[in-house]
């Protein structure tokens, strides 16, 4: 133990993975590792496709690239330590490393929520104001939204580090989880954590809570505009452009709130672990399958590779 301004911190935090499933952790690592690889490959490929293909340099796809980047970062923040815990029983993590991981998990979560809100605004403008779409969502506006998502994440997340660092820890250093989660770190302290809880509650309402509210409002306007379209085919086409976004929203927010509700139960730990690995793995698949432009681009590139592969990789003059 060491002392800093009369505040004691443990040298290490012990992560105890998923209670009751210790005997099958190695086998559990197989689907988790598979989803991690899919998340890394899928999100990387999505960003590269949008970067190199100029026809995808539209607001919707630029926001999708931002979403893929946040998913990539979230996976790399949590999964390496989780897999080390499953494979090598590497339970210990330095206290400062634990705080750093906690910071990035919250920071990325706030960023991703902001990006999902921006994507909802994108669909709102595209459907309700189609003729002004390119005038409203200019490259400058998109850059400002990207900068705002980063700044907002930093402003909301940074005080959490101070609030945890100020707490004294008197002995218990065991967390029942595979990564350093804010609430569980705070509960290790032998001091009043009311300030931490109040700040967490307020910021939850001002970040994800506000985002969910604004996303809901945007879809009310979207649905109202869609049902005013006289053609049923046009209605279905307009709704189809929103379907991928709705799927991603549900995968992002529903497990998060369920994790909060059952966080103290053993199943809450498993749900929290699934939450941080499943959406990053499925998001690029959902957009890749359901978005016509991305699907067409990938299909065209694969068809171009077909003749080349058929000749054994040798191209004739």
């Amino acid at each position: 133990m060491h002392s800093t301004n009369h505040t004691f911190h443990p040298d290490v935090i012990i992560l105890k993975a998923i209670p009751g499933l210790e005997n099958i952790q190695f086998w559990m690592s197989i689907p988790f590792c598979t989803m991690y690889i899919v998340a890394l490959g899928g999100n990387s490929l999505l960003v590269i496709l949008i970067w190199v293909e100029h026809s995808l340099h539209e607001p919707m796809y630029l926001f999708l690239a931002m979403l893929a980047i946040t998913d990539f970062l979230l996976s790399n923040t949590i999964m390496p330590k989780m897999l080390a815990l499953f494979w090598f029983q590497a339970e210990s993590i330095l206290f400062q490393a634990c705080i750093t991981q906690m910071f990035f998990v919250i920071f990325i979560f706030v960023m991703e929520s902001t990006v999902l809100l921006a994507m909802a605004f994108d669909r709102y403008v595209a459907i309700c104001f189609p003729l002004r779409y390119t005038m409203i969502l200019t490259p400058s506006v998109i850059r400002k939204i990207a900068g705002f998502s980063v700044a907002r994440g930093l402003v909301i997340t940074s005080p959490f580090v101070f609030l945890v660092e100020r707490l004294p820890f008197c002995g218990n250093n065991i967390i029942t989880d595979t990564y350093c989660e804010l609430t569980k770190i705070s509960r290790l302290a032998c001091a009043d954590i009311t300030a931490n809880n109040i700040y967490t509650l307020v910021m939850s309402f001002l970040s994800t809570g506000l985002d969910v509210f604004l996303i809901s409002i945007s879809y009310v306007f979207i649905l109202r505009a869609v049902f005013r379209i006289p053609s049923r085919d046009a209605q279905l086409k307009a709704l189809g452009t929103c379907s991928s976004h709705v799927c991603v929203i549900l995968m992002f927010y529903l497990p998060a709130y369920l994790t909060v509700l059952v966080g103290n139960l053993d199943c809450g730990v498993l749900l929290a672990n699934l939450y941080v690995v499943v959406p990053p793995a499925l998001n690029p698949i959902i957009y890749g399958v359901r978005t016509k432009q991305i699907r067409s681009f990938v299909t065209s590139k694969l068809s171009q590779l077909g003749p080349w592969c058929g000749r054994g990789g040798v191209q004739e003059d």
Side-chain angles (χ1 to χ4, degrees):
M1 307 284 285
H2 64 273
S3 174
T4 304
N5 296 329
H6 307 291
T7 299
F8 295 91
H9 297 152
D11 293 323
V12 297
I13 296 292
I14 305 299
L15 302 174
K16 281 297 184 181
I18 304 173
L21 301 177
E22 292 84 358
N23 294 333
I24 60 170
Q25 283 182 6
F26 177 82
W27 301 109
M28 287 179 57
S29 70
I30 296 174
F32 276 96
C33 183
T34 301
M35 287 186 284
Y36 179 45
I37 293 171
V38 171
L40 293 185
N43 287 295
S44 300
L45 179 60
L46 203 55
V47 172
I48 293 170
L49 285 178
I50 295 171
W51 179 269
V52 301
E53 178 55 36
H54 291 286
S55 66
L56 299 178
H57 289 185
E58 298 178 9
M60 184 178 80
Y61 303 111
L62 295 177
F63 289 133
L64 179 56
M66 295 180 203
L67 180 68
I69 290 171
T70 58
D71 282 337
F72 181 90
L73 294 175
L74 181 62
S75 297
N76 281 307
T77 300
I78 293 175
M79 289 306 300
K81 180 61 182 177
M82 182 189 296
L83 293 175
L85 179 60
F86 286 161
W87 289 340
F88 311 114
Q89 290 74 52
E91 297 180 336
S92 64
I93 180 172
L94 292 175
F95 180 79
Q96 292 302 326
C98 190
I99 298 299
T100 301
Q101 187 187 54
M102 177 204 75
F103 171 85
F104 279 106
V105 169
I106 302 172
F107 170 63
I108 295 167
F109 184 87
V110 174
M111 275 185 58
E112 185 156 350
S113 183
T114 308
V115 171
L116 289 174
L117 174 60
M119 295 173 80
F121 178 68
D122 167 80
R123 292 298 85 206
Y124 165 72
V125 175
I127 292 174
C128 299
F129 304 99
L131 299 180
R132 299 175 57 192
Y133 181 68
T134 55
M135 291 186 290
I136 295 175
L137 288 171
T138 63
S140 174
V141 170
I142 294 171
R143 285 194 295 269
K144 289 176 181 177
I145 291 174
F148 172 75
S149 69
V150 174
R152 186 191 190 206
L154 289 172
V155 169
I156 290 175
T157 309
S158 296
F160 283 114
V161 176
F162 165 75
L163 288 171
V164 173
E165 288 276 7
R166 73 181 181 86
L167 294 172
F169 295 78
C170 302
N172 184 18
N173 65 337
I174 298 175
I175 293 178
T176 308
D177 214 325
T178 59
Y179 65 95
C180 297
E181 194 266 332
L182 169 67
T183 304
K184 293 182 178 180
I185 298 175
S186 299
R187 287 175 180 169
L188 296 179
C190 51
D192 184 18
I193 60 172
T194 302
N196 297 53
N197 293 336
I198 292 174
Y199 183 78
T200 301
L201 184 62
V202 171
M203 287 302 104
S204 296
F205 279 115
L206 293 180
S207 55
T208 55
L210 180 61
D211 292 346
V212 169
F213 175 74
L214 293 176
I215 289 171
S216 301
I217 294 297
S218 70
Y219 271 97
V220 169
F221 285 108
I222 288 171
L223 290 174
R224 189 177 70 171
V226 167
F227 290 125
R228 286 178 176 176
I229 300 174
S231 169
R232 183 167 178 80
D233 290 340
Q235 288 180 353
L236 294 175
K237 183 178 180 181
L239 290 174
T241 64
C242 301
S243 59
S244 299
H245 183 238
V246 172
C247 290
V248 170
I249 287 172
L250 294 176
M251 283 198 306
F252 181 77
Y253 290 111
L254 285 182
Y257 288 116
L258 285 174
T259 300
V260 172
L261 291 175
V262 300
N264 293 327
L265 304 177
D266 290 347
C267 63
V269 178
L270 179 59
L271 181 61
N273 282 270
L274 291 173
Y275 165 67
V276 297
V277 66
V278 174
L282 292 184
N283 286 351
I285 296 175
I286 290 172
Y287 272 99
V289 171
R290 298 188 63 86
T291 306
K292 181 179 178 181
Q293 289 85 340
I294 294 176
R295 190 171 64 247
S296 299
F297 177 76
V298 173
T299 303
S300 66
K301 292 301 180 183
L302 290 175
S303 64
Q304 291 174 12
L305 289 175
W308 187 86
C309 294
R311 292 194 294 268
V314 179
Q315 298 190 50
E316 298 177 358
D317 294 331

